[in-house]
Amino acid sequence: MLEAHSARASNMIDKDQYPEIPSTRILLLRIKRPKQVIPLSKAENYVVGSMVALFLLSLGCMALLKADQITQQAAKVIVLPLTGIIMLLGLVFFVIQVIQLFLLFRHGFNNMADRVDASADADSALAEDLSHCNTQHLDQRSKLLEQESKLLTRRAGLASAATAISALIINLLSTGNGDKAAQWVSDAKLLITCCSLGLLAGAVIVIIFAGKLEKISTLLKLASERGSQRKLEREMAN
């Protein structure tokens, strides 16, 4: 009874002594950096968004044509102008990239270096705040997040592999003999393509999230090292 009471008292002292580690949601907000103002960045975003929207609209028209919802002449009237606009926007995007590259070389990478320094200072400040937490708990949370990041990365790889396999199966079926098989493959191509794009988009999102978890894991590990070093210096001073 006395040992259990002392253990509970020790746990209560630890909880009072060390602040609680923030949740993953809060840490995701803490590592988020404000966007830097880049010349022509807004115009670049508008151009890319317009290109994607027009491309999706063209795909929709082709899908309606394949489903016999619109005539080939109507699809041609819609798709050809859209293709011309997409090519024009692509040219504008190329010009913007050339201008940004020229400005980058003109300033000698100073702006990029300043952004890197600002990000490093913000990460160091976050690690310093976390270093006041329990070092053992920091190590445990770091290992768990690192494991979760690896698991998510593997899942994203499996999704990419499934996309490649589906494309390979479609190509193999397209070369098969028989009008019935060819007709089935032609009808299923659009569905499988949409599913493959969905898998790829999901894999990209998962990889981005896994990268953020890996960064948080690294900061937790750095905070644990700083906390352990501070504790060692305090013990040596005493």
Side-chain angles (χ1 to χ4, degrees):
M1 293 292 294
L2 293 176
E3 291 180 356
H5 179 71
S6 62
R8 288 196 297 268
S10 178
N11 291 334
M12 292 178 61
I13 292 174
D14 289 340
K15 290 182 179 178
D16 294 336
Q17 183 178 0
Y18 297 106
E20 185 179 358
I21 301 176
S23 63
T24 304
R25 178 183 297 181
I26 295 177
L27 292 176
L28 286 173
L29 295 176
R30 292 287 302 273
I31 66 173
K32 189 177 181 180
R33 302 291 172 254
K35 293 183 178 180
Q36 301 289 334
V37 179
I38 303 175
L40 301 176
S41 60
K42 288 187 177 180
E44 181 182 3
N45 294 334
Y46 289 143
V47 169
V48 173
S50 301
M51 291 176 63
V52 172
L54 294 176
F55 179 73
L56 294 177
L57 184 59
S58 300
L59 287 181
C61 292
M62 297 302 297
L64 291 176
L65 176 62
K66 196 175 187 62
D68 295 331
Q69 298 296 323
I70 59 176
T71 62
Q72 186 174 2
Q73 184 65 26
K76 185 181 298 184
V77 171
I78 297 175
V79 173
L80 287 181
L82 291 179
T83 304
I85 297 174
I86 292 174
M87 294 177 64
L88 180 62
L89 290 175
L91 179 60
V92 174
F93 179 77
F94 174 76
V95 173
I96 292 175
Q97 295 301 311
V98 171
I99 295 174
Q100 289 182 348
L101 185 62
F102 172 75
L103 294 176
L104 180 64
F105 281 108
R106 182 181 179 183
H107 292 92
F109 299 97
N110 292 332
N111 294 332
M112 294 182 64
D114 293 338
R115 290 197 295 270
V116 170
D117 290 338
S119 179
D121 292 339
D123 292 338
S124 179
L126 177 57
E128 184 64 27
D129 293 340
L130 294 173
S131 64
H132 298 284
C133 302
N134 192 314
T135 55
Q136 293 182 355
H137 295 171
L138 289 172
D139 284 332
Q140 293 174 0
R141 179 70 68 84
S142 175
K143 292 178 181 178
L144 291 174
L145 290 182
E146 184 179 1
Q147 182 180 1
E148 189 67 24
S149 174
K150 292 180 179 179
L151 180 61
L152 291 176
T153 303
R154 289 169 185 161
R155 289 180 179 177
L158 290 176
S160 302
T163 303
I165 292 173
S166 64
L168 179 61
I169 291 175
I170 286 298
N171 290 332
L172 291 176
L173 291 176
S174 299
T175 58
N177 297 324
D179 295 337
K180 186 176 181 180
Q183 183 64 31
W184 179 86
V185 172
S186 178
D187 294 337
K189 270 186 178 180
L190 180 61
L191 178 60
I192 296 179
T193 301
C194 293
C195 293
S196 300
L197 291 176
L199 285 174
L200 286 177
V204 170
I205 295 174
V206 169
I207 289 175
I208 293 175
F209 182 67
K212 292 182 180 296
L213 289 182
E214 185 177 359
K215 183 175 182 179
I216 293 176
S217 174
T218 303
L219 291 176
L220 290 174
K221 189 179 298 183
L222 177 60
S224 176
E225 293 176 356
R226 289 187 180 183
S228 300
Q229 183 67 25
R230 187 185 297 111
K231 184 178 180 180
L232 180 61
E233 292 176 355
R234 191 182 302 114
E235 291 177 353
M236 293 179 62
N238 294 331

